[in-house]
Amino acid sequence: DTVLERTANYFFVFFLAIVLMTILRFDPWSLLLSVSSLLVSFSFALGPSISTFVGGVLLIADRRPYDIGDRIVINSPTSDDAFQPGITWFVEDVNLSYTTLRFAATNEVATITNGSLAQLRIHNGNRDQNALVTVPLFFRVTTTHEEVMQFYHTVEVFINENDQAWKRIKFFRTESLNTALGYIEYRLRVEHVHSHQATPKIMIQKGELLRFCLREMLKRDIHAIISHSPIDLYIEKGQGIQDLEPDLTMDGPKKKVSSLPKDAVFKQYH
């Protein structure tokens, strides 16, 4: 607002000077005509830069996607990424030409032209209503529906008792099933009382919720501990299970013993 007010003052002083020159019977129009012809020639050379600058001015004057102190995330307009807590920026200063940002994770300061920001998608955490937190949970495939619902009601009680942090459960549903690794994946989504502006507090309380869920699952013996991917044992081509030659002893020939060649290879499934 201060920058826009200063710009309006410049235009007011310019038009006031023209009026005063007209009252004093000076002819400002011939001067303006010669200057305007010079500006037209410059406009062809500086056209792209002027267009970018005007886009930045409209971003700040009209769209106003952020204010000083807001926590924002900048993404490509074609990206599907949502608000990512790990790559947030704080807005430190704004004028018609550029915006000064501070990276929340490292405290680094960056300056970006408003024209560049006008082409991007800006997520403003301070203008969100309530942040949604998603927690992945892995149950054993042998877990019954009754055990899952008992666990859900326990989590629901925890959410209601911690109403200073959480508002309500948005959903609790099955996400995927993997019988080879022996787990059923559920997704628990909970609505927080704060917006993404309070990301550090939200992440701490998300960790507390995750620890509570894990503790309850271990207590009920329904938590799936996901092992490594299955392995496939194969032998290089041209090789096979080697049968050892029988050794003759006083007790007669030994039994044949099968062994793997030294160049047997373990291959992991991908």
Side-chain angles (χ1 to χ4, degrees):
D1 292 338
T2 303
V3 175
L4 292 176
E5 182 181 355
R6 189 182 305 128
T7 305
N9 290 337
Y10 290 152
F11 280 105
F12 175 77
V13 171
F14 174 74
F15 285 112
L16 182 61
I18 292 178
V19 172
L20 290 177
M21 292 176 68
T22 305
I23 294 174
L24 296 176
R25 298 188 177 184
F26 288 103
D27 186 11
W29 307 111
S30 58
L31 177 62
L32 290 177
L33 183 61
S34 59
V35 171
S36 62
S37 59
L38 184 63
L39 290 178
V40 169
S41 60
F42 272 108
S43 64
F44 287 102
L46 304 176
S49 300
I50 295 174
S51 176
T52 303
F53 177 77
V54 172
V57 171
L58 292 177
L59 173 77
I60 301 303
D62 184 36
R63 286 173 54 188
R64 298 192 177 191
Y66 47 75
D67 297 311
I68 294 177
D70 288 351
R71 182 190 293 267
I72 64 172
V73 173
I74 304 172
N75 284 321
S76 168
T78 59
S79 173
D80 295 331
D81 295 334
F83 192 95
Q84 302 178 31
I87 54 171
T88 59
W89 299 80
F90 283 110
V91 180
E92 290 214 334
D93 187 29
V94 180
N95 58 40
L96 290 180
S97 301
Y98 59 86
T99 298
T100 303
L101 304 174
R102 183 178 296 276
F103 193 46
T106 60
N107 225 23
E108 299 172 84
V109 176
T111 302
I112 307 177
T113 59
N114 296 331
S116 300
L117 290 174
Q119 308 300 322
L120 301 176
R121 189 176 64 195
I122 302 173
H123 304 256
N124 192 331
N126 197 31
R127 297 183 184 178
D128 297 339
Q129 293 183 352
N130 299 98
L132 296 179
V133 176
T134 304
V135 179
L137 301 170
F138 297 90
F139 294 84
R140 294 184 178 182
V141 291
T142 56
T143 305
T144 64
H145 177 71
E146 289 74 17
E147 290 175 323
V148 173
M149 294 310 299
Q150 290 175 4
F151 167 80
Y152 171 76
H153 292 313
T154 303
V155 175
E156 196 172 29
V157 171
F158 175 82
I159 295 298
N160 294 331
E161 290 178 350
N162 292 271
D163 55 354
Q164 74 282 359
W166 308 104
K167 291 191 68 174
R168 59 181 176 271
I169 297 177
K170 299 292 289 186
F171 65 73
F172 178 68
R173 69 187 182 199
T174 306
E175 191 71 17
S176 64
L177 170 65
N178 192 319
T179 55
L181 298 180
Y183 72 83
I184 306 174
E185 181 185 1
Y186 278 75
R187 288 292 175 95
L188 173 67
R189 180 163 293 176
V190 189
E191 185 177 358
H192 203 272
V193 297
H194 295 296
S195 67
H196 282 106
Q197 183 74 9
T199 291
K201 182 184 295 185
I202 294 173
M203 298 304 293
I204 292 174
Q205 291 167 345
K206 177 183 178 181
E208 294 174 353
L209 174 61
L210 183 58
R211 286 194 298 270
F212 173 81
C213 293
L214 181 59
R215 185 167 58 248
E216 287 296 322
M217 294 171 69
L218 292 173
K219 184 191 302 183
R220 301 166 189 272
D221 196 26
I222 56 177
H223 175 60
I225 300 176
I226 302 176
S227 61
H228 296 289
S229 301
I231 61 172
D232 174 33
L233 177 64
Y234 75 95
I235 301 172
E236 295 287 354
K237 63 179 182 178
Q239 301 292 334
I241 302 293
Q242 304 295 320
D243 294 332
L244 298 180
E245 293 295 332
D247 292 334
L248 296 177
T249 62
M250 296 180 61
D251 299 328
K254 288 184 179 180
K255 295 180 179 180
K256 292 184 178 182
V257 180
S258 297
S259 64
L260 294 175
K262 294 182 180 180
D263 56 353
V265 180
F266 289 91
K267 179 181 179 182
Q268 187 172 6
Y269 281 117
H270 295 290

